[in-house]
Amino acid sequence: AVVSTQSTGTDEGGWTSSHHPFTSPVEEHKTTFDTDPQGAIAQAYDIVLNGYEIGGGSVRIFSQDIQTRIFKILGMSEEEIKKQFGFFISAFQYGTPPHCGIAFGIDRIAMLLSKDASSIKDVIAFPKNSSGICTMTESPGEITGEELNELG
């Protein structure tokens, strides 16, 4: 398992989460991640089998202060945080227990268990090509103006 990864990386001149913005920094970086984002380590993990990532997850942030500080180093203003995540930030005041999650890629595991699969596309029912198009259904397709209006 890969357990020590950087918490942040750069993207177009700013910081971005390397896992997701709800991943907690390791205990020793909880007081310094916003003053030294490049040195921050996330509590994130990947499960690797024979060189293939088959799952991953993280320990989530359960502190209102840490979550707000994470959003700020990602370039969000107070107004943006409140507009997009105000409900979430407010929920921390009711007490959030420490929690974590993990997700396995069943398709990746199926590929590794198969004798004949050389690619994950060999075990996915409707694989997409490198352009994100399903060659069997030719999706995504164009939508009509009426369908677009229906979505608002």
Side-chain angles (χ1 to χ4, degrees):
V2 178
V3 294
S4 293
T5 60
Q6 276 193 292
S7 184
T8 57
T10 57
D11 180 35
E12 298 177 15
W15 291 104
T16 183
S17 298
S18 60
H19 191 71
H20 58 66
F22 311 105
T23 301
S24 182
V26 294
E27 195 63 39
E28 58 269 25
H29 293 162
K30 286 184 178 180
T31 58
T32 60
F33 71 84
D34 45 356
T35 57
D36 181 21
Q38 189 169 3
I41 302 294
Q43 290 191 63
Y45 37 84
D46 291 324
I47 308 299
V48 180
L49 177 65
N50 295 336
Y52 292 92
E53 178 188 344
I54 61 168
S58 67
V59 174
R60 307 301 198 270
I61 295 170
F62 49 93
S63 159
Q64 187 177 46
D65 173 61
I66 291 174
Q67 187 65 73
T68 300
R69 289 167 46 215
I70 288 283
F71 287 148
K72 285 181 180 177
I73 65 168
L74 296 178
M76 295 180 75
S77 68
E78 289 280 350
E79 295 78 30
E80 289 172 310
I81 294 169
K82 187 172 184 171
K83 181 178 180 184
Q84 294 179 33
F85 296 102
F87 68 96
F88 183 69
I89 296 294
S90 295
F92 284 113
Q93 68 185 332
Y94 300 107
T96 307
H99 57 291
C100 55
I102 188 166
F104 288 96
I106 300 301
D107 46 3
R108 294 175 188 203
I109 296 170
M111 180 194 76
L112 293 172
L113 293 173
S114 171
K115 287 189 235 176
D116 300 324
S118 60
S119 165
I120 196 168
K121 291 179 181 181
D122 295 334
V123 297
I124 296 175
F126 299 100
K128 310 289 188 275
N129 64 20
S130 60
S131 299
I133 296 171
C134 176
T135 56
M136 293 181 72
T137 63
E138 296 180 3
S139 66
E142 292 193 29
I143 61 171
T144 66
E146 183 179 315
E147 290 171 318
L148 191 56
N149 288 335
E150 202 175 287
L151 297 172

